[in-house]
C-alpha cells in the first residue's frame, strides 16, 4: 500500500469488476476511453488474481531506495498531482496534493490481511478452525474476487482520502467488517469478524505466505507496483500499462510477444 499509482489501478479494477460502483455517467465514462491511466477495462474474458507483496522488500532486493519516486522532490510533487487528477477523473476526488508527514505508514498488517483474503474464504475459515491445514493459492470465483478488489480499494481510500492510520488494528477491523464480513458479498459464505481477521493475519501461516508471495515476486524480477503478469509470464509495470497487459493476454494464443519475462533469475529468457 506504498504505491499511489496502485491506488488508481485498484479503483479501475473495482469499477471493471463491479460497474454499478462507478459514480460516473455513461457519457463521462466514455470520455476516458483511450486514456491509458483511467479507462476502465473489460474483464469479461479475464481472471484477475491478486498477489499482494511487501513493496519495501521488493525495492530493497532491486537495489532501489525505499521510495524511489520520492527521492527527487519535484518528481514527488508531480506524482501526487498526477494521481490526484487521475482520481478526480475517476470520480473519486480528495486525494492529497502533497505527501502527508506520516506517509508511508506501516502497512504490514494491511498487506497480510490482503494476502489472506486473496487466498479465499476456505483458507480463512480453515485457518480460523485451527484443526485444519489451510491451503493457499486457490483460484477465486468472481464474488470473492470482487470482495478482494473492494477491500484493496477501501484500504487505499482510508489511507489517502479519509487519512486514517492503516497500521491500526481498529481501522483494519472496521474496514473488514464493512466490506468483507458480509455474507451477501460472498454469496452466503461467512468469514470471521474484523478483530479476529486482524488476529489471524498475524499467524505464522499468513506471515509466511505473505513473505513467500513477496519472495516469489523478487525471484521473478518484479521491481515495482502496480505490476501485471500475464499467464505466459510477461510482465507490465505501471498503472498505464494495464491495457497492454490485457491486450497481451487476449492475443497470446495467436501471437507470441517477446520481451521482458518474469521468469526466475538465472532461467533462459
Amino acid at each position: 500500500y506504498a504505491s499511489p499509482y496502485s491506488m488508481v489501478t485498484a479503483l479501475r479494477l473495482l469499477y471493471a469488476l463491479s460497474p454499478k460502483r462507478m459514480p460516473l455517467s455513461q457519457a463521462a465514462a466514455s470520455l476516458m476511453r483511450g486514456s491509458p491511466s483511467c479507462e476502465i477495462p473489460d474483464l469479461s474474458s479475464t481472471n484477475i488474481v491478486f498477489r499482494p507483496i511487501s513493496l519495501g522488500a521488493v525495492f530493497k532486493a532491486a537495489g532501489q531506495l525505499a521510495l524511489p519516486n520520492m527521492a527527487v522532490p519535484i518528481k514527488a510533487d508531480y506524482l501526487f498531482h498526477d494521481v490526484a487528477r487521475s482520481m478526480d477523473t475517476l470520480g473519486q476526488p480528495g486525494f492529497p496534493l502533497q505527501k502527508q508527514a506520516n506517509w508511508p505508514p506501516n502497512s504490514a498488517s494491511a498487506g497480510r490481511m490482503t494476502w489472506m483474503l486473496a487466498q479465499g474464504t476456505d483458507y480463512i475459515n480453515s485457518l480460523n478452525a485451527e484443526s485444519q491445514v489451510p491451503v493457499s493459492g486457490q483460484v477465486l470465483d468472481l464474488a470473492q474476487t470482487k470482495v478482494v478488489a473492494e477491500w484493496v480499494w477501501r484500504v487505499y481510500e482510508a489511507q489517502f482520502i479519509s487519512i486514517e492510520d492503516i497500521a491500526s488494528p481498529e481501522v483494519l477491523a472496521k474496514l473488514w467488517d464493512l466490506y468483507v464480513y458480509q455474507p451477501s458479498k460472498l454469496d452466503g459464505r461467512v468469514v470471521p469478524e474484523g478483530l479476529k481477521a486482524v488476529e489471524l493475519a498475524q499467524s505464522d501461516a499468513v506471515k509466511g505466505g505473505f513473505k513467500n508471495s513477496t519472495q516469489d515476486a523478487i525471484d521473478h524480477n518484479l521491481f515495482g507496483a502496480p505490476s501485471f503478469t500475464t499467464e505466459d509470464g510477461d510482465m507490465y509495470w505501471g498503472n498505464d500499462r494495464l491495457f497492454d497487459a490485457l491486450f497481451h493476454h487476449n492475443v497470446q494464443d495467436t501471437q507470441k510477444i517477446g520481451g521482458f519475462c518474469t521468469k526466475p533469475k538465472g532461467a533462459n529468457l
Side-chain angles (χ1 to χ4, degrees):
Y1 290 100
S3 167
Y5 281 114
S6 292
M7 180 183 184
V8 182
T9 298
L11 186 58
R12 295 170 74 194
L13 292 178
L14 176 62
Y15 286 170
L17 291 165
S18 303
K20 292 182 179 179
R21 294 292 319 282
M22 189 162 58
L24 303 174
S25 66
Q26 187 173 4
S30 68
L31 294 176
M32 295 188 296
R33 291 174 186 164
S35 166
S37 299
C38 295
E39 184 176 354
I40 308 304
D42 177 2
L43 299 180
S44 58
S45 62
T46 305
N47 291 324
I48 297 295
V49 179
F50 287 86
R51 300 190 185 280
I53 59 173
S54 170
L55 191 55
V58 167
F59 284 156
K60 182 177 180 181
Q64 303 181 85
L65 297 173
L67 292 169
N69 285 330
M70 298 294 105
V72 180
I74 194 170
K75 186 177 181 180
D77 290 343
Y78 173 80
L79 183 154
F80 274 77
H81 168 74
D82 191 32
V83 172
R85 63 186 173 189
S86 291
M87 297 304 297
D88 287 349
T89 300
L90 289 164
Q92 292 289 344
F95 188 86
L97 295 177
Q98 293 181 324
K99 180 176 76 71
Q100 302 105 310
N102 63 341
W103 185 83
N106 183 339
S107 60
S109 291
R112 291 169 186 152
M113 290 181 74
T114 305
W115 181 87
M116 180 176 72
L117 183 60
Q119 307 316 302
T121 57
D122 289 344
Y123 176 91
I124 297 169
N125 289 322
S126 294
L127 190 67
N128 190 37
E130 295 184 350
S131 59
Q132 303 178 48
V133 179
V135 178
S136 61
Q138 303 299 305
V139 177
L140 303 187
D141 58 29
L142 181 58
Q144 294 188 77
T145 301
K146 287 181 177 180
V147 171
V148 177
E150 175 94 26
W151 163 262
V152 171
W153 160 247
R154 293 299 182 178
V155 174
Y156 274 117
E157 180 185 46
Q159 177 187 181
F160 286 109
I161 296 179
S162 302
I163 316 299
E164 298 181 73
D165 181 10
I166 64 169
S168 164
E170 291 75 21
V171 169
L172 293 173
K174 178 190 71 174
L175 295 174
W176 185 278
D177 285 338
L178 286 172
Y179 304 112
V180 179
Y181 181 68
Q182 295 184 36
S184 60
K185 288 180 173 288
L186 292 166
D187 287 348
R189 286 165 289 203
V190 178
V191 293
E193 293 181 310
L195 287 175
K196 184 61 179 179
V198 172
E199 178 186 329
L200 292 174
Q202 306 311 312
S203 67
D204 289 342
V206 174
K207 286 183 178 179
F210 185 53
K211 183 177 180 180
N212 289 341
S213 180
T214 301
Q215 187 59 51
D216 188 54
I218 293 170
D219 291 344
H220 286 77
N221 301 304
L222 268 72
F223 52 84
S227 290
F228 315 101
T229 303
T230 58
E231 57 190 345
D232 66 337
D234 214 6
M235 189 264 282
Y236 293 82
W237 170 56
N239 172 61
D240 57 347
R241 303 308 302 279
L242 174 58
F243 270 86
D244 291 318
L246 290 170
F247 173 76
H248 183 130
H249 167 77
N250 290 328
V251 304
Q252 65 176 332
D253 289 339
T254 56
Q255 177 184 358
K256 278 295 186 183
I257 302 176
F260 188 93
C261 290
T262 56
K263 294 183 179 179
K265 294 175 181 176
N268 294 322
L269 298 182

